[in-house]
Structure formats: C-alpha cells, structure tokens
C-alpha cells in the first residue's frame, strides 16, 4: 500500500495508527480488512456524506470482499443527541453488531463523536474505526478518543474516552466540503500553531490560502502535522489530566457562543473556536502574558483566510454577563473555577485557573462594543 503517511498514536494496548493520504476511501478494504474481517461492515454516516462518498467507500470495501451495512443519520449538530444515540444503538443491535466487530464512523465530527460514544457503551464496549470526512474531523475530532453527545445544558456533556482502532483520513474527500466547513476545520489547524508550534503558524501564514484553495500536497502536510501534534499530546495525557487541556485553546469562549446560539448552525464549531482563540489571545494580552502584536497577527491571519476574527454584534445579541454564564457550564469548571487556556505568545499556550471573572467580562465587553 503506497501513497499515505502513518502517524502512530502511542497508547500502549490502545495504540493505533492514523493513515493520511489521497484516495484512501477507494482502497478502504485494504486499509481496514485486518480490523473488519469478512462480516458485513456496519458503517455509520450522515445523509450528505452517504450521497457523496458511501459508494466509493462501499466499492473500496468490496475489493476486499467486505459487504457493507449502512446506517444513515441526518446531518448536523442536532444529531449528537440522546434521541439519535438511542436510534443508533437500536440500529447497531438490529444489525447484530458483536463486541469483536469494528463499527465504522464515516463522516465529520458529529458522526465520529456519536458513533464513538455508541461504540463505547454498546455491549460494554465495541471497537470502532474513524474515517473522517471533514477537515475538522481529520485534524482533531477523529483522533484521541473523545466521544459524546450534547444535552440542553451544553455541548459534549455526556460522553466517554474511547479510542478508535484506526483512523483513515482521505484528504481527497475534502474537495466536496463546502468552503465554510473547510474554513471551520482550518480554525482547528491554526489552533495547533497557536498552542504549541510558532513555526507551523508561520507556515500557515505562508501556505494557508493555497491549502484552502485545494493544494493536496499542502493539505496532506497540514493534516499530518496536526495529527502528529495531537497524537503526541494524547500519548502523554490521554485523559486530559494536564497537557491535553491545551487543545481547548479558544474552546471556553467558543462553547459559550455556540450555547448562546443554541447550536443552531449560525456559528459552526470551528468558527466559534476561531473567535474563541482571538478572545483567549486578547485575555492573555490584557493579563500581561502576551504581546499585543501577536493578537493582531492572529486576527489578521484568520480574517485573511475568511474566518471570523472577533465577535459579530449582529450575531451575538446577549451581553458579556450572559456569555460568562454559559462558560460556567463548561466541563472544565472545577470547584466553580474556570480553566482558561492562555498564551505567552504564538505557540506558547498554558492553562490557568487564576483568571478573574472581571477580566473575562472586560474582554467580552470590549469585544461587544459597537
Ligand atoms: P459535521 O460532522 O456536522 O460535518 C459538517 C457538515 O459537513 C455536515 O453537514 C456533514 O454532512 C458535511 N460533510 C462531512 N463531510 C463532508 C464532505 N467530505 N463533503 C461534503 N460535506 C461533508 O461537523 P464537523 O465540523 O466535522 O465536526 C463538528 C463536531 O465535532 C462538533 O460536534 C464538535 O463538538 C466535535 N468535535 C469533537 C472533538 C473531539 O475531540 N471528539 C474535537 C473537535 C470537535
Ligand atoms: N479536541 C480536544 C481534545 O481532543 O482534547
């Protein structure tokens, strides 16, 4: 098998490989045969991905003599719900999925998170494979084993750590992704530069636009770089007892924005993260940790590629206090104290539990000024 790069995730008995390349979906049988065997592969996907990529995936599996049993769910964040989890579990049981079978998640972060969680609880833990089809899922959600669903109280509040057995990231499928979704995923790509790799951020300043415009070599390089970064962090801190929290750069602010908008799609997760990263840089500058010039550099790059680089008053109509209240519902609250990922500059993130509410409120108020 040629034409792909392998990024190992070193997690002892839960170790697995991420394979990144172009055309992997059409060769899915070769890449997954050892895990799927010859029983029908149960493939969970959404309607949009099914229409675009399920035929190629089915053809790839059939080359290795693997039949396919699809479970097709509605697209969108609303599918990460208790109701859809129940429907999915019913469908998996009806398909007679056994503990030793590997369920395939073919789709973006919604399908990956939901399917991974279903696998975690089905028969007390079934195997699953991630075949991420969005940029966001290829660089972030498919790697590291965080799975779960949303509730009315907030995002991802119910879930489990459950590692996939393999990740197959075919950068070719990103061609069918709407530009807005591609950009939302790109926000997570930028995140890796901002949290720990200033040279990667500088590389993105030089190549980000070409990557977004379809340069496959650059896309593959970016996905590999992000997966390497995430695999290294997850390998050292699988359960987020420390360093892994850095991957939440921009997320505390971002989740508050998504919650305020009711996960309505008015703001995609990656767009919320882009704004959240700007606010995290602003907060860090306000607290004296980060040079103001770096805040400008982050805003400029996000704006240049077409991502939101600040709060849009037309969209977010509540005040700073109300956004802060959403933050307090975050999973990262301990003893009532919020954990913030702050920065000492581009590529130098750290976690702080010392941030005072008044500083967060001041940053939000300033950003919300007309
Ligand atoms: P998504 O799964 O909703 O996909 C976005 C849209 O793109 C959907 O409408 C989908 O049908 C469509 N789509 C997917 N692949 C396509 C393709 N190749 N061509 C055309 N359309 C395609 O959203 P997402 O941005 O992939 O993921 C967001 C989710 O990921 C959120 O729920 C977020 O909480 C979660 N997430 C999880 C982690 C984690 O570590 N588990 C990390 C980051 C984000
Ligand atoms: N997306 C954050 C994490 O996987 O930890």
């Amino acid at each position: 098998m040629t034409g792909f790069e392998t990024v190992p995730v070193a997690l002892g008995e839960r170790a697995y490989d991420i394979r990144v390349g172009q055309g992997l979906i059409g060769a899915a049988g070769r890449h997954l045969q050892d895990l799927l065997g010859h029983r029908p592969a149960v493939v969970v996907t959404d309607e949009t991905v099914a229409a675009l990529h399920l035929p190629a995936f089915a053809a790839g599996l059939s080359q290795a003599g693997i039949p396919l049993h699809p479970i097709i769910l509605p697209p969108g964040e609303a599918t990460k719900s208790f109701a859809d989890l129940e429907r999915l579990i019913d469908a998996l049981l009806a398909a007679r999925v056994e503990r030793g079978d590997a369920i395939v998640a073919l789709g973006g972060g919604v399908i990956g998170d939901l399917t991974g969680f279903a696998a975690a609880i089905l028969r007390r833990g079934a195997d699953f494979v991630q075949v991420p089809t969005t940029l966001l899922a290829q660089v972030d959600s498919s790697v590291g084993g965080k799975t779960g669903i949303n509730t009315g109280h907030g995002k991802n509040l119910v879930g489990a750590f459950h590692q996939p057995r393999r990740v197959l990231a075919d950068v070719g499928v990103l061609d069918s992704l709407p530009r807005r979704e591609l950009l939302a995923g790109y926000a997570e790509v930028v995140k890796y530069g901002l949290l720990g790799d200033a040279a990667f951020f500088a590389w993105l300043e030089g190549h980000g636009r070409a990557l977004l415009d379809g340069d496959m070599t650059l896309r593959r390089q970016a996905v590999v770089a992000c997966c390497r970064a995430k695999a290294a962090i997850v390998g050292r801190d699988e359960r987020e007892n420390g360093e892994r929290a850095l991957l939440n750069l921009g997320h505390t602010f971002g989740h508050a924005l998504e919650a305020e908008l009711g996960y309505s799609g008015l703001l995609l997760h990656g767009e919320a993260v882009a704004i959240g990263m700007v606010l995290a840089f602003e907060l860090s500058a306000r607290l004296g940790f980060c040079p103001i010039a770096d805040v400008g550099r982050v805003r400029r790059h996000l704006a240049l590629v077409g991502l939101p680089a600040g709060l849009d008053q037309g969209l977010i109509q509540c005040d700073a206090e109300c956004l802060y209240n959403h933050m307090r519902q975050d999973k990262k609250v301990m003893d009532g104290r919020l954990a913030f990922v702050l920065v000492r500059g581009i590529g130098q993130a750290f976690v702080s539990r010392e941030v005072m509410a008044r500083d967060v409120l001041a940053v939000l108020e300033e950003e919300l000024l007309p």
Side-chain angles (χ1 to χ4, degrees):
M1 280 182 279
T2 54
F4 66 94
E5 281 177 71
T6 300
V7 179
V9 185
L11 283 172
E13 61 182 15
R14 292 181 304 291
Y16 54 96
D17 282 346
I18 306 162
R19 296 183 186 177
V20 184
Q22 200 179 345
L24 302 190
I25 280 193
R30 277 187 284 140
H31 285 284
L32 299 177
Q33 190 169 33
D34 57 326
L35 297 174
L36 297 178
H38 287 283
R39 278 165 52 79
V42 176
V43 179
V44 184
T45 188
D46 72 27
E47 287 154 10
T48 307
V49 178
L52 291 165
H53 299 295
L54 196 58
F57 191 72
L61 288 182
S62 77
Q63 283 171 12
I66 306 170
L68 179 143
H69 177 110
I71 297 176
I72 301 175
L73 303 172
E77 190 69 34
T79 298
K80 263 176 68 174
S81 66
F82 273 117
D84 284 288
L85 176 68
E86 186 178 359
R87 270 191 280 275
L88 175 55
I89 292 280
D90 272 346
L92 292 169
L93 291 172
R96 302 192 183 285
V97 172
E98 295 172 8
R99 243 177 130 179
D101 295 338
I103 304 159
V104 178
L106 173 71
V110 164
I111 289 298
D113 281 13
L114 175 72
T115 306
F117 186 42
I121 59 177
L122 189 85
R123 300 190 194 280
R124 298 199 180 90
D127 286 342
F128 84 116
V129 169
Q130 289 270 22
V131 185
T133 61
T134 63
L135 180 58
L136 181 141
Q138 295 190 350
V139 300
D140 193 357
S141 63
S142 66
V143 176
K146 278 190 183 176
T147 71
I149 57 172
N150 306 323
T151 82
H153 291 278
K155 266 186 71 96
N156 301 325
L157 290 178
V158 174
F161 284 97
H162 188 53
Q163 299 293 342
R165 295 289 310 279
R166 186 161 300 143
V167 180
L168 209 58
D170 182 344
V171 291
V173 301
L174 302 180
D175 268 347
S176 60
L177 203 57
R179 180 82 176 185
R180 190 174 165 213
E181 295 287 353
L182 190 68
L183 275 170
Y186 183 76
E188 303 276 5
V189 174
V190 172
K191 181 185 78 176
Y192 289 99
L194 297 183
L195 73 88
D197 191 344
F200 183 54
F201 181 73
W203 185 83
L204 292 173
E205 287 178 311
H207 298 294
R209 281 225 289 208
L211 180 168
L212 287 163
D213 288 343
D215 185 314
M216 275 311 158
T217 307
L218 293 174
R219 278 187 187 175
R220 177 166 153 170
Q221 284 172 355
V223 172
V224 167
C226 296
C227 287
R228 282 215 177 100
K230 183 154 185 181
I233 292 175
V234 168
R236 292 188 292 264
D237 179 23
E238 183 184 9
R239 294 266 167 160
E240 199 170 308
N241 294 314
E243 185 187 0
R244 184 164 180 171
L246 299 180
L247 294 170
N248 299 322
L249 176 62
H251 283 59
T252 305
F253 285 109
H255 282 170
L257 302 175
E258 289 185 275
E260 173 57 24
L261 294 172
Y263 313 112
S264 57
L266 286 172
L267 199 61
L268 299 177
H269 175 71
E271 293 169 337
V273 167
I275 301 170
M277 292 191 296
V278 169
L279 296 177
F281 267 72
E282 285 287 2
L283 180 60
S284 305
R286 180 183 173 84
L287 296 172
F289 291 117
C290 171
I292 196 75
D294 281 10
V295 187
R297 225 175 125 193
V298 175
R299 276 199 203 262
R300 268 196 305 283
H301 183 60
L302 295 175
L304 181 82
V305 297
L307 274 164
L311 281 181
D312 173 353
Q313 288 87 5
L315 193 62
I316 303 294
Q317 301 201 326
C318 72
D319 61 11
E321 191 85 41
C322 135
L323 286 178
Y324 190 72
N325 280 337
H326 284 304
M327 290 182 192
R328 290 166 52 186
Q329 188 52 260
D330 203 276
K331 289 187 297 305
K332 274 88 66 186
V333 176
M334 271 171 71
D335 300 330
R337 307 192 77 162
L338 278 170
F340 275 93
V341 183
L342 299 178
V343 286
R344 294 197 168 82
I346 288 169
Q348 300 171 66
F350 66 100
V351 177
S352 171
R353 291 195 174 275
E354 309 302 324
V355 179
M356 310 289 277
R358 63 161 187 266
D359 288 310
V360 181
L361 287 166
V363 166
L364 290 170
E365 274 156 16
E366 202 158 303
E367 196 68 18
L368 285 166
L369 281 178

